[in-house]
Amino acid sequence: MTPNHARRRLFVVVACLLGLASFYAGTHLFTTRPAPPIHPLTGRQIAGIATDANWLDRTAREQEEQPDRALDLIGITPGMVVADVGAGTGYMTILLARRVGPAGKVYAGDLQPRMLRIIQEKARAQQLSNVEIVQGAEDDARLPEHALDLALLVDVYHEFWRPQEMLRSIRRSL
């Protein structure tokens, strides 16, 4: 191999590595994301696609959403069969499971297997045997037909890629 050929080859390798490094930096290090939207009446941050377990289980959520009060107003009682559609990390699933008690049941549905594993771990740690994990699809919550007293959807409708089909599937389960 001649010295010129070796230099050209080295130049191509270095240029490729610099190109890859530039691409990585441009797509991962220097991207700017818009600020999350804020609800005009409550001032609360509108949820994005739920992948951040820390955000879903944030301590401020109790004060922001008052979930126990909401479940009181909805009328969740012992023995009910309910679904937490788009359950995320199971924040509401766990509250529902305690309320419906051992005679009731909670279907915790989500698209993301990682979130479903978190819910399963929480239910096991809190010895809640009335939680059933359901892996949903983009167009189907995959809940049993005619089995639910109530389906709860908290900050998830905006994540439905096929909302009409999803709502029809939920309706079949009621």
Side-chain angles (χ1 to χ4, degrees), residues 1-10:
M1 185 181 322
T2 66
N4 280 342
H5 186 70
R7 275 187 242 143
R8 274 191 227 136
R9 185 180 249 174
L10 179 62

XYZ file of all heavy atoms in Angstrom, residues 1-10:
86
model
N 0.854 -1.160 0.000
C 0.000 0.000 0.000
C 0.907 1.233 0.000
O 1.841 1.336 0.787
C -0.900 -0.006 1.242
C -1.869 1.109 1.224
S -2.988 1.236 2.647
C -3.431 -0.376 3.086
N 0.600 2.192 -0.870
C 1.418 3.397 -0.966
C 1.054 4.359 0.146
O -0.059 4.308 0.679
C 1.214 4.094 -2.333
O -0.122 4.562 -2.371
C 1.487 3.157 -3.489
N 1.976 5.268 0.499
C 1.671 6.247 1.553
C 0.456 7.112 1.215
O -0.334 7.445 2.087
C 2.946 7.083 1.654
C 4.036 6.230 1.103
C 3.377 5.341 0.078
N 0.276 7.484 -0.044
C -0.899 8.286 -0.442
C -2.194 7.510 -0.236
O -3.195 8.055 0.220
C -0.776 8.725 -1.907
C 0.121 9.923 -2.081
O 0.389 10.628 -1.119
N 0.583 10.132 -3.304
N -2.175 6.242 -0.596
C -3.363 5.397 -0.428
C -3.708 5.233 1.058
O -4.874 5.295 1.456
C -3.126 4.032 -1.095
C -4.345 3.166 -1.095
N -5.441 3.439 -1.869
C -4.641 2.031 -0.395
C -6.366 2.518 -1.650
N -5.899 1.644 -0.768
N -2.701 5.049 1.886
C -2.906 4.913 3.335
C -3.465 6.201 3.922
O -4.360 6.179 4.781
C -1.597 4.532 4.020
N -2.968 7.373 3.467
C -3.491 8.664 3.957
C -4.943 8.861 3.545
O -5.760 9.347 4.325
C -2.622 9.816 3.438
C -1.433 10.061 4.311
C -0.684 11.296 3.876
N 0.634 10.799 3.493
C 1.368 11.217 2.510
N 0.966 12.200 1.758
N 2.525 10.675 2.256
N -5.265 8.501 2.308
C -6.656 8.626 1.843
C -7.578 7.741 2.677
O -8.661 8.153 3.067
C -6.759 8.247 0.369
C -6.464 9.381 -0.542
C -6.828 9.033 -1.974
N -5.701 9.439 -2.784
C -5.155 8.756 -3.751
N -5.656 7.592 -4.094
N -4.131 9.205 -4.411
N -7.145 6.530 2.914
C -7.946 5.595 3.714
C -8.151 6.143 5.132
O -9.252 6.101 5.667
C -7.260 4.243 3.756
C -8.077 3.196 4.454
C -7.372 1.896 4.470
N -8.114 1.002 3.591
C -7.726 -0.200 3.274
N -6.565 -0.656 3.684
N -8.474 -0.974 2.527
N -7.101 6.668 5.752
C -7.198 7.269 7.077
C -8.141 8.474 7.054
O -8.948 8.655 7.959
C -5.808 7.680 7.582
C -5.768 8.355 8.952
C -6.283 7.399 10.022
C -4.354 8.822 9.277
